[in-house]
């Protein structure tokens, strides 16, 4: 077994298996284990603790669930900041105190957790409630099913394409009459926006995922999703010429001044403000941003277009960056807590809650039994979700396909390093070196 996987397993086993209990198991012997007249407690840890539209909508649904189920208490330990969330999750895993419901970014990297018995196989839940299960879009669960492991290990809750939101008034001022479809047209668009004195693309890479999302989009359009999958299975390398060429495309944007000045020192909150205040003309983002546009002065002045394709790479014109994430359930949760957990996860991923996320937060959900009414959700949300029609080969974050957990930070930091003068070749070598160091 590779060294990193072995290390991960040893930590997981020491922290969870040898400790021998999770929050739900320890609750079984205290006053909150669901005895007569007592509430059953379940702990959840999501990223929905902030004030973004989806966060508030999710919190509404948690409150509604508890009102309808007074015998169940939801202990919500959600953390919106990605870094803080990941740190807390690592601590919980190491201490054997994993929440009943949580999320881990990725797919292939979940295997050590599954093999250690920490993530629940949800096949039985899906089979026991076909009405709820049949509402999910086809293929929604594929990311959490593996050829070499039996079962399904996640329940999807969000799904949407990424796109370039753009200020229509600034585009008009720059003389841009049509949105760019190709990379050449995109570069021309950037030059025209620079000429009128605005930042072409708001991107603050202090939150490193922002730069990561942009580079992933370029990779899939230039190299194809399968290339990234092959890197994860070690059939290809980050240093392969085609991959380095894709990274050069990102470097070209940096060098031509396409992004927010001093990007590594600018947060996502600031780069959103730059776009919503008219200082930047474009923002590459997802469905969670639609609600913020709708609540701003730019409402009605923003539209969206898909990430441009490369003329020299027509074979990848249907490969596209798409977000799909799932809730994971603690395999150690048993008894009354497990029953409550299943009831809760079905509620927050079901038709009613999902419709509320769409209508209230303009969020992307992986269900086909919700209505998307332009009169309710607006044209911007409708147009963004229509980009799904372009996606034949979806790709999520590149590190989702890699078994090494450190690749999340390593790949994203490598992208940010381009802003600091690192060459594409050096950045790719750094990522490949991490793999070789971890796996020997």
């Amino acid at each position: 077994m590779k060294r990193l996987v072995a290390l991960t397993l040893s930590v997981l086993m020491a922290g969870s298996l040898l400790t021998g209990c999770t929050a739900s198991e320890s609750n079984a012997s205290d006053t909150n284990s669901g005895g007569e007249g007592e509430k059953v407690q379940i702990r959840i840890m999501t990223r929905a603790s902030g004030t973004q539209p989806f966060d508030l909508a999710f919190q509404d649904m948690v409150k509604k669930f508890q009102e309808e189920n007074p015998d169940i208490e939801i202990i919500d330990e959600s953390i919106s900041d990605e870094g803080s969330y990941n740190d807390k999750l690592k601590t919980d895993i190491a201490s054997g105190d994993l929440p009943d419901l949580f999320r881990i970014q990725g797919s292939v990297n979940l295997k050590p957790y599954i093999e250690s018995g920490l993530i629940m196989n949800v096949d039985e839940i899906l089979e026991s409630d076909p009405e709820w299960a049949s509402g999910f879009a086809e293929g929604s669960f594929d990311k959490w099913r593996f050829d070499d492991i039996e079962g399904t290990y996640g329940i999807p809750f969000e799904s949407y394409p990424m796109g370039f939101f753009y200020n229509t008034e600034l585009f008009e001022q720059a003389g841009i009459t049509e949105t760019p479809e190709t990379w050449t047209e995109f570069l021309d668009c950037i030059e025209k926006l620079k000429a009128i004195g605005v930042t072409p693309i708001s991107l603050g890479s202090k939150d490193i995922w922002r730069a990561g999302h942009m580079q992933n989009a370029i990779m899939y359009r230039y190299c194809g999703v399968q290339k990234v999958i092959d890197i994860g299975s070690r059939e290809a390398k980050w240093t392969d010429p085609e991959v380095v060429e894709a990274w050069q495309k990102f470097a070209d944007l940096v060098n031509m001044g396409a992004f927010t000045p001093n990007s590594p020192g600018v947060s996502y909150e600031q780069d959103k403000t730059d776009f919503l205040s008219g200082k930047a003309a474009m923002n590459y983002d997802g469905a969670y941003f639609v609600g913020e546009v709708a609540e701003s002065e730019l409402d009605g002045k923003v539209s969206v277009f898909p990430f441009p394709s490369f003329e020299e790479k027509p074979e990848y014109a249907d490969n596209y960056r798409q977000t799909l994430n799932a809730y994971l359930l603690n395999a150690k949760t048993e008894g009354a807590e497990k029953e409550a957990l299943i009831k809760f996860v079905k509620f927050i991923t079901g038709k009613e809650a999902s419709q509320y996320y769409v209508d209230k937060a303009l969020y992307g959900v992986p269900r086909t039994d919700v209505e998307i009414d332009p009169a309710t959700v607006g044209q911007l949300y409708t147009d963004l979700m229509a980009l799904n029609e372009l996606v034949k080969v979806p790709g999520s974050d590149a590190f989702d396909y890699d078994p090494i957990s450190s690749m999340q930070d390593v790949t994203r930091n490598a992208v940010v390093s381009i802003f600091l003068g690192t060459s594409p070749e050096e950045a790719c070598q750094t990522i490949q070196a991490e793999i070789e160091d971890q796996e020997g």
Side-chain angles (χ1 to χ4, degrees), residues 68-130:
E68 295 179 0
N69 299 273
D71 58 327
I72 300 174
E73 181 180 3
I74 306 299
I75 309 299
D76 191 352
E77 301 176 358
S78 298
I79 302 172
S80 59
D81 178 72
E82 182 179 63
S84 299
Y85 177 92
N86 289 339
D87 289 343
K88 175 68 162 57
L89 185 65
K90 291 174 185 176
T91 299
D92 285 354
I93 291 174
S95 65
D97 195 28
L98 195 63
D100 300 297
L101 178 145
F102 56 100
R103 56 176 288 187
I104 298 176
Q105 184 75 25
S107 175
V108 174
N109 61 307
L110 297 180
K111 287 185 178 182
Y113 302 92
I114 295 170
E115 292 167 346
S116 296
L118 297 182
I119 300 177
M120 186 184 300
N121 179 359
V122 300
D123 277 349
E124 184 177 339
I125 303 173
L126 296 171
E127 294 166 1
S128 67
D129 192 342

Side-chain angles (χ1 to χ4, degrees), residues 268-416:
Y268 176 47
E269 290 301 318
Q270 183 58 53
D271 86 43
K272 286 190 299 182
T273 299
D274 287 349
F275 178 82
L276 295 174
S277 65
K279 294 180 180 179
M282 293 182 283
N283 179 37
Y284 182 67
D285 229 323
Y288 47 84
F289 187 60
V290 177
E292 299 198 46
V293 173
E295 295 175 357
S296 76
E297 295 180 358
L298 284 185
D299 186 29
K301 302 176 183 178
V302 175
S303 191
V304 65
F305 64 87
F307 201 99
S309 60
F310 291 92
E311 299 95 325
E312 67 270 37
K313 299 287 184 175
E315 65 269 35
Y316 302 130
D318 58 0
N319 285 233
Y320 201 80
R321 171 72 170 80
Q322 189 175 41
T323 293
L324 181 62
N325 285 312
Y327 295 125
L328 312 179
L329 307 184
N330 191 334
K332 302 295 182 180
T333 302
E334 298 178 343
E337 286 81 8
K338 181 177 180 179
E339 292 180 8
L341 174 61
I342 293 172
K343 190 173 186 179
F344 175 70
V345 75
K346 287 165 64 176
F347 178 84
I348 60 169
T349 61
K351 178 180 179 180
E352 178 185 358
S354 296
Q355 187 69 61
Y356 186 74
Y357 302 149
V358 170
D359 295 341
K360 181 74 173 180
L362 304 177
Y363 206 66
V365 297
R367 296 191 68 90
T368 58
D369 53 2
V370 298
E371 292 185 25
I372 298 179
D373 180 3
T376 300
V377 301
Q379 194 60 48
L380 182 59
Y381 177 88
T382 304
D383 290 346
L384 176 68
M385 299 310 290
L387 298 185
N388 278 318
E389 299 174 7
L390 304 175
V391 183
K392 298 297 186 292
V393 186
S396 54
D397 285 297
F399 57 80
D400 284 358
Y401 307 104
D402 201 288
I404 299 178
S405 59
S406 62
M407 292 302 283
Q408 176 172 341
D409 287 342
V410 171
T411 54
R412 288 175 171 177
N413 282 325
V415 181
V416 176

Side-chain angles (χ1 to χ4, degrees), residues 48-60:
S49 68
T51 58
Q52 291 192 18
F54 172 72
D55 297 350
L56 298 177
F58 176 81
Q59 293 159 22
D60 286 346

